[in-house]
Amino acid sequence: LLRPGGTIVYLVAAPFEDRGAAHGVKVVRAVVSDAPEALRGVAHAAADVSDGLAGDLSHILRASGCGATLDEAALREAAGPGVPLPWVLAGGDDYELVFTAPAHAADAVAHAATESGLRVTRIGQVEAGAGLRLRDASGRVAPVAAGGFDHFAS
């Protein structure tokens, strides 16, 4: 189970590839075949991010009865230069894995990232209270819609 205040949200991403060239940006594409094994015993919860980061992380948060605040600067760092924030939050298949781990496991997360060759970025913190929020550079916090792809929308 996730614990408010004691659980960190991470995003796994790999080096850039030119998938977004048609839109004039580069997007991150992760190759995470080794991630599940590398994170065994470290991650509390994980989801592939095929339907958008905000949507897929929101599934984990709802199931755990928690919320989270994401750091805009960390998301932009994970995405790379020129990737619009809406793509970071709602784009599918640009990121491969979001996971949570206890705050005291930061060294184990770093070790798992190094051993598996994956780029892992701390992007936020699990908190009490439902919903997903985003903290901008000035410290303002605003709610984030779950967004993402809905397989059952008409």
Side-chain angles (χ1 to χ4, degrees), residues 3-88:
R3 297 189 182 157
T7 305
I8 307 302
V9 181
Y10 293 91
L11 183 66
V12 176
F16 294 100
E17 73 177 41
D18 214 356
R19 279 185 54 172
H23 301 286
V25 298
K26 292 182 180 232
V27 294
V28 178
R29 174 76 179 149
V31 180
V32 295
S33 59
D34 295 331
E37 188 60 36
L39 295 171
R40 187 177 310 278
V42 176
H44 279 167
D48 78 329
V49 186
S50 58
D51 296 334
L53 173 63
D56 288 326
L57 177 56
S58 291
H59 296 313
I60 292 173
L61 297 171
R62 274 193 300 275
S64 298
C66 297
T69 297
L70 302 180
D71 182 82
E72 181 179 344
L75 288 171
R76 291 186 184 281
E77 176 186 327
V83 179
L85 191 59
W87 284 23
V88 177

Side-chain angles (χ1 to χ4, degrees), residues 2 8-9 14 16 18 24 33 36 42-44 47 59 65 83 86 94 97 100 106 117 119 122 136 138 141 149 153:
L2 303 184
I8 307 302
V9 181
F16 294 100
D18 214 356
S33 59
V42 176
H44 279 167
H59 296 313
V83 179
D94 297 333
L97 188 68
T100 62
R119 188 171 66 138
R122 177 183 172 155
D136 69 14
S138 69
V141 177
F149 182 75

